[in-house]
Amino acid sequence: MAILLVPGFMADETLWDDMVPALARFGPVVHADLRHDTSVEAMARRVLATAPPTFLLVGFSMGGYVARAIARQAPDRVRALVLMSTSTRGDTAALQKRKGAIGNAAPSIAFSGLSRTAVATSLHPKQRDNDALIERIRAMGMRLGGEVFRRQSLLDRPGDLERSGEIRCPTLVVAAENDQLRSLAEAQEMTAAIPGATLAIIEDTGHMIPIEAPQRLLDVIVPWLAAHAEG
């Protein structure tokens, strides 16, 4: 058994640094690489090409879309699935417009990382002046760089609510109480659509749960994963 962690938009493996010691009880910790591909399905195929034969699967934000694609593409390999801070909805008109602007921008424009404003929006209001937290998140984006930013920004996230019935493994949906990027309604509709799924809400945190509230997140997902690891 292993545990496969799938990060979100412009996040790398350090997203999980505060959680890896506790998650290692489930076997080798494997990090998905989402740097190279231009579609969710292609990302899932790349991850599966080097993933262990069977694994527990955890997807965060954009990584939740990829994790669901993995579960659909290889249902016999995924023992249990955790989806956090994510959605089954497709891109909004506003996001499509933003993608258009990024697509029309000159590729030669230097990438200076995610803005402090954008990062702060993803956090709980009480953390929006937390410089250490903001810089940790910005540092992930800087390490990934401009090409990955452009690729992931233009990534089409098709809504897959109607395909939720294809997910047959035990599934835990985790939502942040104060998530300004993904609503509780999105988590609730995802939970209702995936057969047998359970919803957990982490209080007093924004979108970036693995960094904002890692221990409270572990308190929820570790017992659940332990109960389903041999499923």
Side-chain angles (χ1 to χ4, degrees):
M1 183 61 67
I3 183 162
L4 175 59
L5 306 180
V6 190
F9 174 75
M10 293 304 285
D12 62 16
E13 66 276 5
T14 67
L15 173 75
W16 312 102
D17 278 358
D18 299 321
M19 301 177 63
V20 163
L23 295 177
R25 64 175 282 184
F26 298 109
V29 176
V30 181
H31 295 282
D33 182 357
L34 307 185
R35 295 174 298 166
H36 307 286
D37 298 292
T38 57
S39 74
V40 167
E41 296 293 331
M43 286 177 171
R45 288 192 295 271
R46 183 183 295 273
V47 173
L48 282 166
T50 57
T54 60
F55 48 85
L56 303 169
L57 181 59
V58 180
F60 168 76
S61 196
M62 182 186 78
Y65 288 80
V66 180
R68 293 194 302 274
I70 290 170
R72 293 193 300 264
Q73 290 181 19
D76 296 336
R77 296 173 63 183
V78 181
R79 290 289 182 86
L81 172 64
V82 178
L83 300 167
M84 63 183 71
S85 302
T86 189
S87 175
T88 57
R89 297 183 186 180
D91 291 338
T92 63
L95 186 54
Q96 289 173 345
K97 182 177 180 180
R98 177 175 173 272
K99 287 181 179 181
I102 292 171
N104 292 329
S108 59
I109 295 177
F111 177 66
S112 57
L114 301 178
S115 71
R116 287 181 57 87
T117 300
V119 172
T121 301
S122 71
L123 301 175
H124 188 284
K126 71 179 183 181
Q127 299 288 5
R128 290 181 182 173
D129 293 320
N130 186 329
D131 289 340
L133 204 62
I134 290 170
E135 288 309 312
R136 178 179 170 185
I137 295 168
R138 292 190 74 248
M140 292 193 292
M142 290 300 292
R143 284 192 294 271
L144 290 170
E147 289 187 12
V148 175
F149 172 75
R150 184 178 177 85
R151 196 174 296 126
Q152 291 190 353
S153 294
L154 296 176
L155 182 75
D156 182 30
R157 303 189 201 188
D160 61 350
L161 182 66
E162 73 286 349
R163 301 192 66 183
S164 297
E166 298 175 39
I167 297 177
R168 295 298 182 182
C169 61
T171 302
L172 174 66
V173 175
V174 180
E177 181 184 36
N178 301 104
D179 193 335
Q180 300 301 305
L181 304 184
R182 290 298 180 188
S183 68
L184 180 58
E186 290 172 272
Q188 290 168 331
E189 68 186 15
M190 179 166 38
T191 305
I194 297 174
T198 300
L199 174 64
I201 300 171
I202 309 295
E203 298 180 351
D204 203 29
T205 182
H207 184 73
M208 300 296 295
I209 314 176
I211 289 178
E212 291 185 70
Q215 188 55 56
R216 279 179 283 135
L217 180 55
L218 287 167
D219 290 345
V220 169
I221 69 172
V222 167
W224 187 88
L225 286 169
H228 295 91
E230 302 304 324

